[in-house]
Amino acid sequence: MLAVVPTGPGEVGLAEVDEVQPGPDELVIEVAAFSVNRGETFQLETDRPGWRPGKDIAGTIIQGGPRVVAHLPHSGWAERVVVPAHQTAVLPDAISFEQAAALPLAGLTAVRLLRTAGSILGRRVLLTGASGGVGHYVTELAAAAGAEVTAVVSSPERGARLLELGAETLAYDVADATGPFDLVLESVGGRSLPAALTKLRAGGTLIWFGQASREASTLDFFDFFKGPEAAVIKHFHYDSEPADGPDLATLVRLVATGRLHPELGRIEHWTTTGAVLDDLRDRRIRGNAVLTLGREHQ
């Protein structure tokens, strides 16, 4: 079967690989679409013998099974994949494979991030790196839960959809955001994190869930006395649950009922995966990027 494989630092191509062989309690899925995440562009920069990329897929269980969305640890960018049954959720016909493929990593991150934050009803929330896939989901879910969201984006064009999804206001630099905020959701790192920290109210919470800038952050102890005294900083990683199936089912239900809208910033045939990865790496894609395998997707 064909799969997208690493061909060099940051580079990929299509190649023949061994056919998948399911183990106990595993399903074989014929892949119709997969999404690519910016973090995967970073993983591709390192030589990892035997490893293939791919976490987010949607397709059909072989031999007449249902349509499903699934979250894998790796190797999802292929014609067929194997996945434990507890890592999948069944798709209703109203949700396309393209929409579904955009759900797993970004959607799971958003749901679990807000779960970690606790009740946000009536709270002022600052979200950095807001124009990516996670940011769109967080904005819509947080606004629907009653939060007042300020989204940090690089331009009005990248923020327009966030306003439609419920963001109260946009900021084009963390320093320009009008605080104080009860909660900061920080995904950029570098200078963004200490700048965002100063926007917290006393006793507020900053949840650090990414470092998209790939730059280390430095914190000054005395900055806490400039406003966010007694603030709490939490580290977050989305892969915190023993099974993804229940949260995937929640995401599917929210999309099916019109309460969550995957932002498909790019849909291309999977033969262009390398070019899409370059655009994602260089921030030329807003929301999620999805690749299709050229079959009927409905």
Side-chain angles (χ1 to χ4, degrees):
M1 68 174 188
L2 286 174
V4 176
V5 302
T7 57
E11 302 294 330
V12 298
L14 286 176
E16 287 284 346
V17 299
D18 292 339
E19 186 60 66
V20 294
Q21 300 295 329
D25 300 317
E26 288 186 327
L27 306 172
V28 179
I29 299 172
E30 191 83 22
V31 178
F34 59 82
S35 71
V36 298
N37 300 284
R38 196 159 182 267
E40 289 168 313
T41 69
F42 303 154
Q43 291 179 308
L44 285 164
E45 294 173 4
T46 303
D47 184 24
R48 308 171 75 181
W51 172 85
R52 290 192 281 112
K55 291 177 174 290
D56 299 350
I57 68 102
T60 304
I61 297 173
I62 64 169
Q63 297 178 340
R67 304 164 74 252
V68 294
V69 59
H71 184 56
L72 289 70
H74 53 75
S75 303
W77 302 352
E79 290 185 297
R80 284 169 292 282
V81 300
V82 292
V83 60
H86 65 262
Q87 297 297 103
T88 69
V90 175
L91 292 174
D93 291 340
I95 298 180
S96 70
F97 284 131
E98 291 89 346
Q99 290 174 304
L103 286 174
L105 191 149
L108 292 172
T109 300
V111 166
R112 293 169 182 174
L113 182 62
L114 292 173
R115 188 178 292 153
T116 298
S119 175
I120 56 174
L121 178 63
R123 300 179 75 188
R124 300 195 71 225
V125 177
L126 178 66
L127 173 64
T128 68
S131 63
V134 175
H136 282 81
Y137 290 137
V138 168
T139 297
E140 186 168 19
L141 292 172
E148 180 184 330
V149 179
T150 295
V152 182
V153 294
S154 60
S155 68
E157 293 75 22
R158 292 184 72 85
R161 179 60 174 156
L162 296 169
L163 293 174
E164 295 174 0
L165 293 175
E168 291 285 334
T169 187
L170 303 177
Y172 305 117
D173 190 285
V174 177
D176 297 331
T178 302
F181 294 93
D182 302 291
L183 174 68
V184 171
L185 304 175
E186 210 313 279
S187 65
V188 178
R191 69 176 185 86
S192 178
L193 192 153
L197 179 65
T198 67
K199 301 296 180 176
L200 269 180
R201 66 166 176 80
T205 298
L206 184 149
I207 303 178
W208 191 4
F209 70 100
Q211 191 160 300
S213 69
R214 308 190 73 185
E215 297 175 358
S217 296
T218 300
L219 296 179
D220 186 332
F221 173 80
F222 295 101
D223 284 343
F224 285 88
F225 298 102
K226 298 176 182 177
E229 188 169 358
V232 174
I233 297 178
K234 294 182 179 181
H235 169 264
F236 168 87
H237 187 256
Y238 86 99
D239 193 17
S240 59
E241 303 288 336
D244 293 329
D247 283 342
L248 287 174
T250 294
L251 291 164
V252 168
R253 175 173 54 83
L254 291 172
V255 174
T257 55
R259 288 178 286 172
L260 189 66
H261 299 83
E263 186 67 16
L264 304 180
R266 183 77 60 83
I267 300 175
E268 300 281 354
H269 191 262
W270 75 322
T271 53
T272 68
T273 299
V276 172
L277 287 171
D278 287 340
D279 285 345
L280 191 66
R281 186 183 295 113
D282 294 336
R283 297 182 177 277
R284 292 192 289 267
I285 297 175
R286 185 193 67 202
N288 295 95
V290 173
L291 285 303
T292 68
L293 274 67
R295 304 184 182 93
E296 290 296 325
H297 301 325
Q298 299 295 336

